């Protein structure tokens, strides 16, 4: 059975501080189940969350490079006033304006306290029911090829696949979208942001990893050593992890 996206993994020098930022940004809570900071809806950890793709902030020793991340979050808003209020609040919390060559656009590009870019979108009807994260957005050269790989890799439904954009979402019509956008430039550094995927109960992790390799995924050695998850890259080199069932 295909895998399910369960977390957006963000690397940080100060995982606790960046986790607190994202908890405030999303209106969620920050939990510290171990060395990482898990950010999810309030009321205690429910993992995997049945609706939302949550955030896990992982401590690393290296700062972000100056290269733009090829994966980022888009945040949803409900009105022009909400967008303005959210941008102001995020800047108060430590976000800074970011110029990624966007020019004059109706959304606002910011960076979190460690430089990870994200967008605060103007109100859009398509994102009215996603929750605070409208979309996980991936820069790529070939959205249709990405749609083929990810459409087979995960259990989400393909909504659109053109030369410029491919879109998937949970088949139940809940939570954020996963969007692949044709974007100039090439990947020059490991991303600070990636997706973590989880097998369903009863599915075999190694069998899923083998299946992904046949689809075009490649093994990735980040010096992770002997860990219960498997690090891979998709056909355009975007990192992701397949977690062990729990």
């Amino acid at each position: 059975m295909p895998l399910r996206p369960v977390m957006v993994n963000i690397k940080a020098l100060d995982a606790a501080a960046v986790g607190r930022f994202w908890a405030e940004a999303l209106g969620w809570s920050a939990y510290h189940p171990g060395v990482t900071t898990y950010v999810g809806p309030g009321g205690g950890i429910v993992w995997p969350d049945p609706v939302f793709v949550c955030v896990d902030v992982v401590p690393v020793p290296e700062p972000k490079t100056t290269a733009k991340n090829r994966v980022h979050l888009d945040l949803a808003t409900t009105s022009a006033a909400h967008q303005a209020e959210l941008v102001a609040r995020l800047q108060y919390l430590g976000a800074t304006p970011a110029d990624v060559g966007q020019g004059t656009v109706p959304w606002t590009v910011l960076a979190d306290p460690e430089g990870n870019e994200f967008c605060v979108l103007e109100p859009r009807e398509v994102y009215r029911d996603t929750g605070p994260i409208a979309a996980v957005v991936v820069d790529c050269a070939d959205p249709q090829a990405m749609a083929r790989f990810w459409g087979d890799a995960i259990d989400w439904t393909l909504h659109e696949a053109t030369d410029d954009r491919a879109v998937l979402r949970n088949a139940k019509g809940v939570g954020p979208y996963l969007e692949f956008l044709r974007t100039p430039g090439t990947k020059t550094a490991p991303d600070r942001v990636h997706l973590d995927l989880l097998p369903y109960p009863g599915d075999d992790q190694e069998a899923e990893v083998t299946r992904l390799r046949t689809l075009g995924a490649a093994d990735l050695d980040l010096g992770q050593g002997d860990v219960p998850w498997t690090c891979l890259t998709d056909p355009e080199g975007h990192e992701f992890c397949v977690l062990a069932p729990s």
Side-chain angles (χ1 to χ4, degrees), residues 55-70:
V55 172
D56 196 36
V57 186
V58 178
V60 294
E62 307 85 7
K64 182 182 182 294
T65 70
T66 57
K68 173 183 176 290
N69 284 334
R70 301 284 286 179

Side-chain angles (χ1 to χ4, degrees), residues 1-9 53 70-72 136-161 165-171 177-181 187 191 193-200 208 211-218 220 230-243:
M1 180 182 292
L3 299 154
R4 48 190 163 153
V6 291
M7 293 191 299
V8 176
N9 184 300
V53 176
R70 301 284 286 179
V71 180
H72 73 266
V136 181
V137 182
V138 182
D139 295 347
C140 65
D142 188 340
Q144 293 197 52
M146 289 293 94
R148 288 191 293 272
F149 173 82
W150 284 93
D152 288 335
I154 64 177
D155 65 342
W156 286 16
T157 298
L158 180 65
H159 284 252
E160 177 183 343
R165 184 170 182 261
V167 179
L168 296 94
R169 195 186 189 195
N170 188 309
Y177 290 82
L178 176 60
E179 301 182 358
F180 298 92
L181 301 184
K187 186 174 169 64
D191 267 317
V193 182
H194 71 256
L195 279 171
D196 284 343
L197 311 181
L198 182 69
Y200 279 88
E208 284 299 310
R211 185 178 67 85
L212 292 170
R213 292 185 185 117
T214 66
L215 296 174
L220 176 65
T230 301
C231 300
L232 300 169
T233 58
D234 73 14
E236 288 201 15
H238 303 103
E239 302 91 347
F240 67 96
C241 294
V242 178
L243 307 178

Side-chain angles (χ1 to χ4, degrees), residues 21 64 66 68 84 86-103 105 107-120:
F21 169 85
K64 182 182 182 294
T66 57
K68 173 183 176 290
L86 181 56
V87 168
R89 184 165 64 84
L90 292 170
Q91 290 182 289
Y92 174 78
L93 293 171
T96 53
D99 185 354
V100 295
Q102 68 268 24
V105 292
W107 58 89
T108 301
V109 184
L110 299 173
D112 75 11
E114 291 201 8
N116 299 298
E117 303 88 357
F118 65 98
C119 297
V120 180

